[in-house]
Amino acid sequence: MLIGSVLVYLLLSILIGVYAATRVKSSRDYVVAGRHLPLYIVTATVFATWFGSETVLGISATFLQDGLHGIVSDPFGSSLCLILVGLFFARPLYRMKLLTIGDYYKQRYGRKVELITGLAIVISYLGWVSAQMTALGLVFSLLSHGAISQGQGTLIGAAIVLLYTLYGGMWSVALTDFLQMTIIIVGLLYIGWLATDMAGGLGHVVSHARNAGKLEFWPALNARDVVAFIAAWVTMMFGSIPQQDVFQRVMSGKSETVAASGSILGGSLYFVFAFVPLTIAYSATLIDPAMVGRLLHQDSQMILPELIMNHMPVFAQIMFFGALLSAIMSTASGTLLAPSVTFTENVIKPWLGRQSDQRFLLTMRVVVVGFAAVVTAFALYSNASIYQMVENAYKVTLVVAFVPLVAGLYWKPANRMGAYTSIGLGLLVWLPMEAWLPEGTALLPSQFAGFLASLTGMIAGSLLSVRPHAAH
């Protein structure tokens, strides 16, 4: 019954994707759904794309080990990212009628900056999409009781996500996201109610977590801990802003008000519901402490699935795996499409020569297939945890793309030389620290040092390159 229900759900997702493909007539339809989406769809796609495997499996496992202090980057930083996009970035970017976020850098700073930031954005997705493919492999292996290996499950999951994303593009992502958001919310609320009831009630679970020190959020008042805390928050909060998946959802709204409001509502909804899997995971420590203790040392990402499979009725299992698959597939489809269209539009398009829109649309689809192959291979051979893959994804965009974006929108002196200096100095500081300094040995985390260098480079490069008579 469990496997049958999952198969029906997967088939439904594919059918929605196939239907969505009938609405794709141009590259703009494929990338931003023709800018026709209403508020409730934009909100759903913002929420569902960000509510992925790391939210259900990764954050909950990290919370059990480190408490709230360990998850400052996600959901705290990530939800604030979406809210900041709605408040400060959605409206000005929407008015520019761009196809990708990379087009902004081209308009503001020129082709070379577009190319560098485009590549940085594409690279940043490698870990994020791979994390979703890894999680799909884990789910299919669990559901088959090991008959399907995690590697085989990863291949199957990647094929399904590719199938419904390839033809419908943003229309497929948006329509399936709405279905998936509904399943996530209903399924996890139901599981949360069951789990807290089995653990002695929600009040008892919260009280137990507080007494165990898991609700302590702020860092110890010493320089190293405070800087690490700020860096973790900033990496996700700022590094996620210059991302194509966020931009696509903003640009897909039917008006700039819908674009801004959808991002704020989606981010707020994400923050609230991210605490549901945390609550379920902590309930597991009261329901089956031996199982939790064992898995914390072996594979903490398995705590929630093991709880559901060993202690919940079949209907609850159906609801949980439906919600989990929804979370993973909605994120995987959105994050597969985003780097693919960025690579096509901002990296290789100038070398393709003049193309009809239909030819360009075909090129995008070919790149989607290629990127799916790359991230699936990365997922198969990476040893990083789901949470680590996602957390590391935004370092490169924080260092390379964030400062030029903000300065270009809100600081008039920002210019091409400032962008070059910002990117160059940021990379010059970040890359050696990331490559050669063991984590935790430097006072400043590598990406935070790179971010500060990028900010310094933008200010210095822009001001020093202004001719004296131009200043008057």
Side-chain angles (χ1 to χ4, degrees):
M1 185 176 177
L2 173 60
I3 295 173
S5 301
V6 168
L7 289 174
V8 168
Y9 168 70
L10 293 174
L11 179 62
L12 181 60
S13 295
I14 292 170
L15 290 175
I16 291 173
V18 171
Y19 164 73
T22 64
R23 310 191 73 161
V24 176
K25 309 298 182 186
S26 67
S27 59
R28 186 164 290 273
D29 288 336
Y30 192 74
V31 179
V32 292
R35 291 165 66 113
H36 291 315
L37 300 183
L39 178 60
Y40 71 97
I41 294 286
V42 174
T43 301
T45 194
V46 168
F47 169 84
T49 296
W50 281 61
F51 204 102
S53 60
E54 70 283 358
T55 316
V56 180
L57 301 177
I59 295 175
S60 58
T62 305
F63 172 72
L64 291 184
Q65 293 170 315
D66 304 322
L68 287 182
H69 179 70
I71 57 170
V72 59
S73 60
D74 192 6
F76 293 93
S78 53
S79 54
L80 271 174
C81 158
L82 296 171
I83 292 169
L84 290 174
V85 167
L87 291 174
F88 300 107
F89 296 91
R91 292 178 184 274
L93 290 174
Y94 190 91
R95 293 177 198 135
M96 296 177 74
K97 298 182 178 179
L98 308 167
L99 191 65
T100 68
I101 186 69
D103 290 343
Y104 167 80
Y105 295 99
K106 181 180 180 181
Q107 284 194 20
R108 188 65 173 82
Y109 300 112
R111 167 62 184 158
K112 289 181 181 178
V113 175
E114 173 200 23
L115 178 62
I116 297 168
T117 53
L119 285 171
I121 289 166
V122 170
I123 290 168
S124 74
Y125 279 96
L126 185 61
W128 195 6
V129 191
S130 297
Q132 311 314 313
M133 301 308 181
T134 299
L136 282 172
L138 178 67
V139 171
F140 286 127
S141 180
L142 274 172
L143 289 173
S144 66
H145 298 286
I148 297 174
S149 70
Q150 185 164 333
Q152 292 168 335
T154 297
L155 292 172
I156 294 169
I160 293 170
V161 171
L162 175 62
L163 185 61
Y164 78 77
T165 306
L166 179 61
Y167 295 103
M170 189 59 198
W171 272 114
S172 285
V173 171
L175 296 183
T176 53
D177 277 356
F178 183 71
L179 166 70
Q180 287 158 348
M181 184 190 79
T182 305
I183 294 173
I184 290 167
I185 290 175
V186 173
L188 286 182
L189 283 178
Y190 173 67
I191 296 298
W193 172 71
L194 275 182
T196 52
D197 185 60
M198 292 170 67
L202 179 60
H204 178 63
V205 172
V206 173
S207 175
H208 196 282
R210 183 186 300 112
N211 293 335
K214 298 300 182 183
L215 302 188
E216 294 178 5
F217 179 67
W218 300 106
L221 292 179
N222 61 71
R224 186 177 295 276
D225 285 357
V226 170
V227 169
F229 180 86
I230 294 171
W233 202 323
V234 164
T235 300
M236 190 75 89
M237 181 169 58
F238 290 166
S240 305
I241 289 175
Q243 290 283 8
Q244 176 62 19
D245 65 285
V246 179
F247 176 86
Q248 276 181 267
R249 278 133 195 80
V250 167
M251 293 302 105
S252 298
K254 64 181 182 180
S255 69
E256 65 179 70
T257 299
V258 167
S261 301
S263 188
I264 293 169
L265 289 172
S268 302
L269 196 62
Y270 174 79
F271 180 75
V272 171
F273 274 91
F275 284 90
V276 178
L278 300 187
T279 305
I280 298 170
Y282 198 81
S283 298
T285 65
L286 302 177
I287 298 168
D288 192 343
M291 178 268 290
V292 172
R294 172 174 52 84
L295 290 176
L296 279 174
H297 292 95
Q298 294 178 359
D299 186 357
S300 56
Q301 296 169 159
M302 290 293 296
I303 290 172
L304 278 190
E306 288 274 359
L307 172 72
I308 305 303
M309 295 295 281
N310 295 333
H311 295 277
M312 300 279 179
V314 173
F315 181 71
Q317 294 176 18
I318 292 171
M319 295 298 289
F320 174 77
F321 283 104
L324 180 57
L325 279 171
S326 293
I328 297 168
M329 291 170 63
S330 59
T331 301
S333 59
T335 53
L336 175 62
L337 181 65
S340 301
V341 299
T342 299
F343 186 76
T344 310
E345 168 75 6
N346 303 116
V347 177
I348 66 172
K349 184 180 179 181
W351 286 296
L352 296 175
R354 293 183 63 85
Q355 286 188 312
S356 67
D357 190 66
Q358 289 303 305
R359 182 78 177 179
F360 184 58
L361 181 57
L362 175 62
T363 304
M364 281 187 179
R365 285 174 168 150
V366 171
V367 173
V368 168
V369 175
F371 195 77
V374 171
V375 296
T376 303
F378 187 81
L380 290 172
Y381 294 106
S382 174
N383 292 321
S385 72
I386 291 170
Y387 189 77
Q388 287 171 328
M389 285 187 194
V390 174
E391 192 175 35
N392 291 335
Y394 307 104
K395 292 179 179 179
V396 62
T397 43
L398 175 68
V399 171
V400 172
F402 176 70
V403 171
L405 173 63
V406 178
L409 287 174
Y410 289 106
W411 192 50
K412 281 189 176 181
N415 58 31
R416 187 174 300 178
M417 183 54 66
Y420 288 152
T421 312
S422 173
I423 294 169
L425 195 58
L427 288 174
L428 190 64
V429 170
W430 172 60
L431 284 175
M433 290 182 68
E434 185 76 15
W436 296 318
L437 286 181
E439 190 173 346
T441 57
L443 177 60
L444 291 179
S446 59
Q447 77 276 13
F448 192 57
F451 162 65
L452 295 177
S454 174
L455 181 61
T456 303
M458 173 58 74
I459 296 170
S462 296
L463 295 181
L464 291 175
S465 63
V466 175
R467 297 173 183 172
H469 70 270
H472 301 286

